[in-house]
Amino acid sequence: MNQVVIPLDATGLGRLRKRRQPKGRQVDAAALAEVRAALGDMPRRRDLLIEHLHCIQDRYGQLAMPHLVALAQELGLAMTEVYEVATFYHHFDVVREDADGHIAPPPVLTVRVCEGIACEMAGARALLGKLPALLGTDVRVVAAPCIGRCEKAPAALVGQKPVDGATAAAVEACVAAGTVHDESVAQTGYAAYRAGGGYALLDALAQGSLDPAAVLCTMEDSGLRGLGGAGFPAGRKWRIVGQEPAPRLMAVNIDEGEPGTFKDRVYLERDPHRFLEGMLIAAAVVQVSAIYIYLRDEYAGCRAILTQALQALRDDPPAAGLPQIELRRGAGAYICGEESAMIESIEGKRGMPRLRPPYVAQVGLFGRPTLEHNFETLYWVRDILENGAEWFASQGRHGRKGLRSFSVSGRVRRPGVHLAPAGITVRELIDEYCGGMLDGHSFYAYLPGGASGGILPASMGNIPLDFDTLQPHGCFIGSAAIVVLSDQDSAVGAARNLMHFFRHESCGQCTPCRVGTAKAYDLIRAPQWDLPALEDLSAVMRDASICGLGQAAPNPVDCVIRYFPHELQAAPERPEAQA
């Protein structure tokens, strides 16, 4: 019973009085009914909080405070738990009542124009400037971080519908037509995949004719490393997690938010079952009991493809004993590409990285040992097992081993995903796979590993592109996202774009990253850079940030100072309107 103590009366004994209503916001009956209608028969579980928030926003166009209060009661959570999650993710629109208690209606439609490095090079700023007046006040136009369509820059999302090579006229036509949903279909469906021998390896594992130990040895001998950026040997990871006590879980990361990276989307659109078979083989070898697939919210078409593919597996299982598989939807947070932040998000929390140790292989999802993998790593499992470890290991150039899927964007004739030998140089990649530079453009610089991988001049274009080859130069390959700059671009401009991204995407948990990205962005917007201050910031961010975002965010700035000092002689300040 809630009680309050009022001042002592004349007897000195005081009196107790019941509180007329509980503290905090009260649940509105109509809002509660609307929340229940939006959730339908979904389980009311804490780990499904983000899924519940998506359901409400998809139905009502925003997250009004009465709905959040009602959702908190429906889930048996404190209002703060719901509110902190709803306000953490960029794609949730939380609205409060005004002074008169009214709630503003949501925009009729939201158009997101990508301002990532490749899209900015292709004219996204001009597009952002034209669209508000063209589309009217009922349509909200916002600048968005990279949406994973860098090879088709500039790119935009009209609702959930992608507009590639976006122009003002194309976006206006899409809005007028009302085509705001992306219901993509995979190029290779379930029947075609099975007809081509798909899932035969998985079935052999299930029937015992394929030895899990042999599979594990093949994966280790192939030298396949994690292709999400960290590069940890895949077979070794399977062995480590398999030695942990059951029950074991699996988490698959398809939250590729690194500017310049889009390979997972392209492969998923082509052949989702090749990925799913690799995932299920890994689960069988490690003996995991449940799998959670985390897909970024910008990939609505891929979500439709995966939903259909997973339903096909349920309707016609290719092998006995498939584990439980859940598809989880991100909500616009680059930080959730970090494995422990992704796990926090799957659990229905803010996507904040965990301190380690313990590592997720020991204490991961829901406190259980967890096998965490990037999409593309699992995509190669079937090919390696069918062709043998030596087939994969024998690929490569300049003393390197394996294959790499390079996401190439920028000033080349044929941007896209190019499968090439590990160790290929960027000059070879441009000439042999990308058709050379665009007409009128000369090769000037490149990002060898997306936003966080640094920037190198064309004079260093003969370095083998692979794990461990770029670190001596202050860079790394990461997820193999190559952004090519020409003589019509500047490294200073690229660094400003990238630091703007990192400032926007820092989760805010640790001070070195939260303050460092903002301070560094302010410093590099100045006409003259304060090099001692930037050097101090870089050291603190690298040494004290909790996760890779803060540790790698200084890379572009450090590379400009190291390799492009001539640009710092007169680096004009970026206009505030573009910040």
Side-chain angles (χ1 to χ4, degrees):
M1 180 177 64
N2 292 314
Q3 296 178 330
V4 294
V5 178
I6 63 174
L8 296 177
D9 61 11
T11 66
L13 298 178
R15 300 187 303 277
L16 293 178
R17 182 176 64 197
K18 288 185 178 180
R19 189 180 297 279
R20 293 181 180 177
Q21 64 182 25
K23 290 182 178 180
R25 288 176 172 263
Q26 303 308 297
V27 177
D28 178 79
L32 182 60
E34 290 172 345
V35 165
R36 287 173 174 169
L39 300 187
D41 59 359
M42 288 182 65
R44 273 40 169 188
R45 300 202 317 256
R46 173 66 174 82
D47 64 290
L48 291 173
L49 173 57
I50 294 172
E51 300 296 316
H52 295 150
L53 291 169
H54 274 304
C55 285
I56 297 170
Q57 177 154 305
D58 288 348
R59 186 170 184 129
Y60 300 108
Q62 61 189 12
L63 297 175
M65 290 300 292
H67 285 153
L68 295 182
V69 174
L71 179 61
Q73 174 167 303
E74 187 72 0
L75 297 180
L77 299 175
M79 176 58 185
T80 54
E81 294 180 271
V82 174
Y83 185 77
E84 71 177 7
V85 172
T87 54
F88 179 85
Y89 295 92
H90 301 315
H91 288 187
F92 290 141
D93 298 319
V94 178
V95 295
R96 291 177 171 272
E97 305 92 331
D98 61 19
D100 298 323
H102 299 139
I103 297 175
V108 172
L109 184 64
T110 295
V111 174
R112 302 180 189 275
V113 178
C114 178
E115 62 174 356
I117 178 67
C119 288
E120 183 173 274
M121 291 165 61
R125 285 287 156 195
L127 183 61
L128 275 165
K130 294 177 183 178
L131 287 178
L134 192 64
L135 301 179
T137 57
D138 289 339
V139 177
R140 179 176 60 172
V141 178
V142 297
C146 183
I147 61 175
R149 309 189 74 84
C150 317
E151 84 279 30
K152 301 174 182 180
L157 290 173
V158 176
Q160 294 183 337
K161 180 72 174 179
V163 180
D164 297 328
T167 62
V171 172
E172 184 182 25
C174 189
V175 171
T179 53
V180 298
H181 299 288
D182 188 356
E183 299 293 339
S184 299
V185 177
Q187 295 176 30
T188 303
Y190 186 56
Y193 185 75
R194 292 287 299 273
Y199 291 111
L201 289 167
L202 179 66
D203 188 46
L205 266 176
Q207 294 187 20
S209 57
L210 180 60
D211 184 10
V215 171
L216 185 56
C217 288
T218 300
M219 293 301 298
E220 289 178 323
D221 293 344
S222 72
L224 177 68
R225 297 174 66 170
L227 297 173
F232 193 86
R236 189 192 308 173
K237 182 183 287 189
W238 292 16
R239 189 176 295 279
I240 289 171
V241 177
Q243 293 172 346
E244 295 293 324
R248 292 175 286 273
L249 303 177
M250 186 173 182
V252 182
N253 192 336
I254 322 181
D255 194 59
E256 56 173 1
E258 181 83 4
T261 306
F262 48 89
K263 59 184 177 61
D264 293 352
R265 172 185 60 79
V266 170
Y267 284 142
L268 182 50
E269 291 170 343
R270 292 177 185 172
D271 198 354
H273 287 283
R274 188 170 299 271
F275 147 68
L276 290 174
E277 182 171 14
M279 177 188 78
L280 290 168
I281 289 171
V285 171
V286 180
Q287 296 185 330
V288 304
S289 57
I291 302 171
Y292 294 80
I293 302 173
Y294 190 86
L295 178 69
R296 70 180 308 201
D297 194 34
E298 291 85 348
Y299 288 175
C302 292
R303 189 163 62 251
I305 288 172
L306 269 179
T307 299
Q308 183 181 43
L310 291 173
Q311 189 59 51
L313 290 181
R314 298 185 189 101
D315 294 341
D316 180 20
L322 297 187
Q324 168 194 340
I325 305 173
E326 292 197 24
L327 176 59
R328 294 298 179 87
R329 178 179 172 185
Y334 165 71
I335 190 62
C336 290
E338 195 276 339
E339 62 177 6
S340 64
M342 176 189 68
I343 284 173
E344 289 286 298
S345 190
I346 292 173
E347 293 180 356
K349 305 171 187 174
R350 294 175 294 170
M352 289 191 167
R354 296 176 178 177
L355 291 171
R356 285 164 288 188
Y359 298 97
V360 298
Q362 303 162 316
V363 182
L365 192 54
F366 306 116
R368 301 307 311 164
T370 301
L371 178 64
E372 189 275 339
H373 264 312
N374 167 258
F375 169 94
E376 196 203 348
T377 311
L378 298 169
Y379 187 86
W380 286 109
V381 169
R382 176 187 168 186
D383 290 86
I384 290 172
L385 295 180
E386 286 183 341
N387 297 303
E390 180 58 28
W391 165 80
F392 188 81
S394 65
Q395 311 286 332
R397 286 189 191 177
H398 306 297
R400 310 305 297 177
K401 294 182 178 181
L403 293 167
R404 295 288 175 269
S405 301
F406 293 96
S407 302
V408 185
S409 60
R411 311 296 192 181
V412 295
R413 288 179 181 271
R414 291 199 300 269
V417 175
H418 298 289
L419 182 63
I424 193 172
T425 70
V426 71
R427 287 189 179 276
E428 293 170 337
L429 189 64
I430 293 171
D431 293 339
E432 298 176 30
Y433 290 83
C434 301
M437 299 291 293
L438 287 172
D439 290 342
H441 292 262
S442 298
F443 182 33
Y444 174 66
Y446 66 109
L447 281 63
S452 54
I455 308 173
L456 292 173
S459 61
M460 300 176 68
N462 293 318
I463 300 171
L465 296 173
D466 197 15
F467 299 112
D468 311 320
T469 61
L470 293 157
Q471 281 84 339
H473 309 286
C475 299
F476 57 83
I477 193 171
S479 57
I482 312 296
V483 184
V484 179
L485 280 61
S486 78
D487 54 348
Q488 298 185 27
D489 306 304
S490 75
V492 166
R496 286 173 174 162
N497 176 282
L498 301 174
M499 192 56 71
H500 169 65
F501 171 82
F502 290 130
R503 182 191 67 166
H504 183 266
E505 293 298 321
S506 174
C507 75
Q509 179 178 193
C510 67
T511 301
C513 179
R514 181 183 67 249
V515 177
T517 53
K519 182 64 175 176
Y521 179 66
D522 288 341
L523 287 171
I524 66 173
R525 288 177 62 229
Q528 297 296 323
W529 289 14
D530 186 340
L531 300 185
L534 286 168
E535 182 180 356
D536 288 344
L537 268 178
S538 175
V540 171
M541 292 172 69
R542 292 180 188 281
D543 293 343
S545 294
I546 289 175
C547 80
L549 192 158
Q551 295 163 10
N555 281 345
V557 175
D558 290 351
C559 284
V560 170
I561 295 171
R562 182 176 179 181
Y563 299 117
F564 303 89
H566 57 282
E567 288 195 23
L568 297 181
Q569 303 305 314
E573 183 175 3
R574 185 179 182 181
E576 187 62 35
Q578 297 182 9

